[in-house]
Amino acid sequence: MSPSADPDGRTDPLPAPGPTRRGVLGTAAGTALALAAGTAGATGSAAAADLPLLGTYDVVVAGSGAAGMTAALTAAKRGLSCVVVEKAATFGGSAARSGAGIWIPNNPVILAAGVPDTSAKAAAYLAAVVGPDVSADRQRAFLAHGPAMISFVLANSPLRFRWMEGYSDYYPELPGGLAGGRSMEPDQLDGTLLGAELARLNPPYMAVPAGMVVFSADYKWLTLAAVSAKGAAVATECLARGTTAALLGQKPLTMGQALAAGLRAGLLAAQVSVWLNTPLSDLLVENGSVTGVVVTRDGTPGLVRARRGVVVGSGGFEHNAALRAEFQRQPIGTAWTVGAKENTGDGIQAGRRAGAALDLMDDAWWGPAVPLPDQPYFCLAERTLPGGLLVNAAGARFVNEAGPYSDVVHTMYDRNPTAPDIPAWLVTDQNYRNRYLFKDVAPTLPFPDSWYTSGAAHKEWTLDALAGRIGVPAAALRTTVSRFNGLALAGKDPDFHRGDSAYDHYYTDPAVLPNSALAPLWLPPFHAFRIVPGDLGTKGGLRTDARARVLRPDGTVIPGLYAAGNASAAVMGHSYAGAGSTIGPAMTFGYIAALDLAAT
């Protein structure tokens, strides 16, 4: 399924940088910070140069997520000496916690699986999704180098990938969109390949059920296992995979665990060190060029020099309350994100001090979340399954519940100042609960008491009583549910067009007719779940060009400084092309950065 490639992963020459088309906010902020950093940066660098030298390498990579490890692996395979410095006590970052969908159009894995993609389709689709928020040359760089990056990873790590069949692009109706989807995910990987290093893998956001081997694509069917023959068959297959792995003495990994472990195995084979518990505190800038990093190792500040440059792949700023308050709309905070807890924007702030421009700082990889007492739960299937609807403080629907998750949260923020939608409420009935998995709670089983005591969930025998619980007008909620029920029975939603797009039907119940995304609420008790603007991480950061080089507000390059992943402003702009639009570009621009460093 996965063709081999030139181990060096050489591609056509990287495109020359073009003019960027960015928001005023990032430019203004970057300009002010560059001016403020002018004197302080020089003083700081002089002091940094006197710190104990921990090592000198061709390339220093900050962060061991998908972007950082891909960059380091590429640099090593191009003959450069490299080290990865990682803030956490584990490697893998948010990528290890994720479902590890990867959106790379026209790549060898999906083409081998029969996906009818072409470079022309991919370019038309990305341009339609992203619009003018991201320069055309960056879009072209992503599309041109993404497939080569996948071939390179296949050739230089134990990773293999599977097409996520049927997981539609998020806007398949746009030019070049594919209803069958372009997303893929890692295949099963045996964790014993890592030896002792496996114990240092960042754990997943949600653990796979014991004894099972589950892929991201399986969850669509596991949610339906109680009411679908295919769902039951997929559950049996997941259990069989787990049994087989146990008999073989394997430690099976999938999703983000497989992705991070596979990249780390590639680094081990390439003899690239990953220094854990080594946070980046600043960049070393000499004569206007970035020539190293200041880190803390074993509790002591030290300097790591970089002969060719530094790649910042240290993640976003989702756990930095001050930055979120500075750049993002209210209400916001750090309690609703599922990103790695170490992501506090260290690399972004170091780049600011070095004079970098910032972009997209107001945005994130949003999605509706239930603020459970232990951690937020990022809702995918639950808000899409038939028999549920979202209402605001007025007890009214306000969005297509089954639409792309980032769009739902954008709508929440856009409307909230005049028609409060934060929090919103996912309202369902007992028929819904009898049929579908919710998070990891099987159908018909009670939810933990803590869900109710925390206010994340409510249950009542009438809609009026439920309305009282969640603080919305009872008459309005009754009217909303009544209209929704009529639309569900007719199978058409003229109000918000739920079910009109192929994407809307991915996490639905094929047994429900005439529209698998719509079913009436009729069986008490009724349930309501608090919905807030969650995220997988922030998507704003250092402005970069098509070669992943970090730019100043005036468009000039900061020599020696590169960025990829959530430490950089996303190539997706304010939108989201498909499942894996975070990790696919992160890996690709990490790869591009290393190729450029190798050519320097």
Side-chain angles (χ1 to χ4, degrees):
M1 182 174 178
S2 302
S4 61
D6 176 359
D8 284 341
R10 291 299 289 167
T11 64
D12 294 334
L14 290 165
T20 58
R21 293 177 284 181
R22 302 297 188 164
V24 174
L25 175 65
T27 300
T31 301
L33 288 162
L35 292 172
T39 304
T43 304
S45 294
D50 293 332
L51 290 172
L53 182 62
L54 303 178
T56 299
Y57 300 83
D58 293 323
V59 177
V60 177
V61 176
S64 66
M69 286 199 285
T70 304
L73 182 61
T74 307
K77 289 298 179 177
R78 295 297 299 152
L80 304 181
S81 63
C82 184
V83 68
V84 178
V85 295
E86 168 57 52
K87 178 180 183 178
T90 55
F91 69 88
S94 291
R97 291 171 54 78
S98 74
I102 299 172
W103 196 84
I104 300 282
N106 210 36
N107 79 66
V109 174
I110 64 173
L111 293 179
V115 176
D117 203 3
T118 66
S119 58
K121 286 181 184 178
Y125 178 65
L126 188 63
V129 170
V130 174
D133 289 335
V134 175
S135 63
D137 61 322
R138 284 192 70 214
Q139 295 181 45
R140 285 193 297 268
F142 166 58
L143 295 174
H145 294 279
M149 180 276 293
I150 293 299
S151 295
F152 169 81
V153 169
L154 290 171
N156 291 285
S157 80
L159 280 166
R160 296 296 177 264
F161 300 100
R162 303 158 54 102
W163 176 42
M164 300 172 73
E165 183 176 2
Y167 202 154
S168 170
D169 286 341
Y170 287 177
Y171 308 96
E173 62 279 358
L174 292 179
L178 297 182
R182 294 174 161 100
S183 302
M184 63 182 189
E185 62 174 311
D187 208 340
Q188 181 177 333
L189 185 75
D190 181 10
T192 61
L193 292 171
L194 284 180
E197 193 67 10
L198 180 62
R200 290 178 276 277
L201 173 62
N202 200 22
Y205 156 60
M206 280 183 60
V208 170
M212 301 180 79
V213 174
V214 181
F215 297 108
S216 280
D218 294 332
Y219 277 105
K220 164 186 170 66
W221 295 107
L222 293 178
T223 299
L224 307 175
V227 294
S228 162
K230 182 167 183 178
V234 169
T236 301
E237 184 180 355
C238 292
L239 185 59
R241 290 188 205 119
T243 301
T244 300
L247 291 173
L248 294 174
Q250 297 178 347
K251 295 180 179 177
L253 303 174
T254 57
M255 298 182 279
Q257 296 287 279
L259 178 63
L263 290 172
R264 184 69 185 95
L267 292 183
L268 286 171
Q271 299 183 319
V272 175
S273 296
V274 176
W275 295 355
L276 302 178
N277 297 301
T278 307
L280 167 74
S281 55
D282 214 343
L283 298 168
L284 176 65
V285 182
E286 296 175 310
N287 300 318
S289 298
V290 172
T291 57
V293 297
V294 178
V295 298
T296 300
R297 196 170 192 212
D298 299 326
T300 303
L303 176 64
V304 186
R305 285 192 171 273
R307 299 185 189 93
R308 299 205 182 191
V310 171
V311 181
V312 177
S314 51
F317 60 94
E318 55 266 28
H319 285 282
N320 187 316
L323 282 179
R324 300 205 82 152
E326 178 182 355
F327 287 103
Q328 300 187 327
R329 289 185 281 185
Q330 297 296 325
I332 196 61
T334 61
W336 298 338
T337 181
V338 300
K341 65 182 184 299
E342 292 83 8
N343 291 349
T344 55
D346 301 353
I348 296 171
Q349 294 189 94
R352 292 172 85 180
R353 290 190 294 270
L358 306 180
D359 280 329
L360 301 177
M361 294 291 284
D362 59 321
D363 217 339
W365 302 100
W366 302 114
V370 181
L372 298 177
D374 55 343
Q375 65 174 351
Y377 175 63
F378 195 91
C379 275
L380 288 175
E382 291 82 1
R383 67 189 167 82
T384 301
L385 288 164
L389 69 157
L390 286 172
V391 300
N392 61 15
R397 287 182 74 205
F398 61 94
V399 73
N400 171 10
E401 296 90 347
Y405 34 91
S406 57
D407 287 356
V408 174
V409 173
H410 281 142
T411 298
M412 292 172 73
Y413 274 120
D414 290 345
R415 290 172 44 91
N416 194 60
T418 56
D421 297 327
I422 303 173
W425 297 93
L426 173 61
V427 178
T428 71
D429 71 346
Q430 190 59 34
N431 180 54
Y432 171 105
R433 276 300 300 131
N434 289 343
R435 296 176 64 83
Y436 308 127
L437 184 76
F438 194 106
K439 189 178 180 280
D440 54 358
V441 181
T444 75
L445 294 183
F447 294 121
D449 290 343
S450 62
W451 290 24
Y452 296 106
T453 57
S454 69
H458 300 272
K459 179 175 71 173
E460 290 292 346
W461 286 91
T462 67
L463 286 174
D464 283 12
L466 187 69
R469 280 280 188 184
I470 64 177
V472 306
L477 183 60
R478 271 188 277 112
T479 299
T480 297
V481 171
S482 177
R483 174 163 178 78
F484 181 82
N485 286 350
L487 300 179
L489 292 171
K492 200 70 176 173
D493 176 20
D495 295 346
F496 297 99
H497 307 287
R498 179 168 170 178
D500 286 4
S501 172
Y503 172 77
D504 296 357
H505 292 272
Y506 184 71
Y507 285 113
T508 55
D509 185 348
V512 172
L513 298 173
N515 186 332
S516 69
L518 295 169
L521 286 67
W522 58 273
L523 181 64
F526 298 95
H527 305 264
F529 305 91
R530 186 181 180 92
I531 298 293
V532 297
D535 66 69
L536 302 170
T538 50
K539 63 157 53 174
L542 304 175
R543 181 186 298 175
T544 57
D545 67 6
R547 294 159 64 178
R549 301 179 301 177
V550 175
L551 303 175
R552 300 185 182 95
D554 62 4
T556 59
V557 171
I558 300 177
L561 185 59
Y562 296 74
N566 287 352
S568 63
V571 74
M572 292 294 157
H574 289 288
S575 196
Y576 212 134
S581 291
T582 307
I583 291 178
M587 295 175 71
T588 300
F589 281 102
Y591 172 77
I592 288 172
L595 289 183
D596 201 67
L597 282 160
T600 302

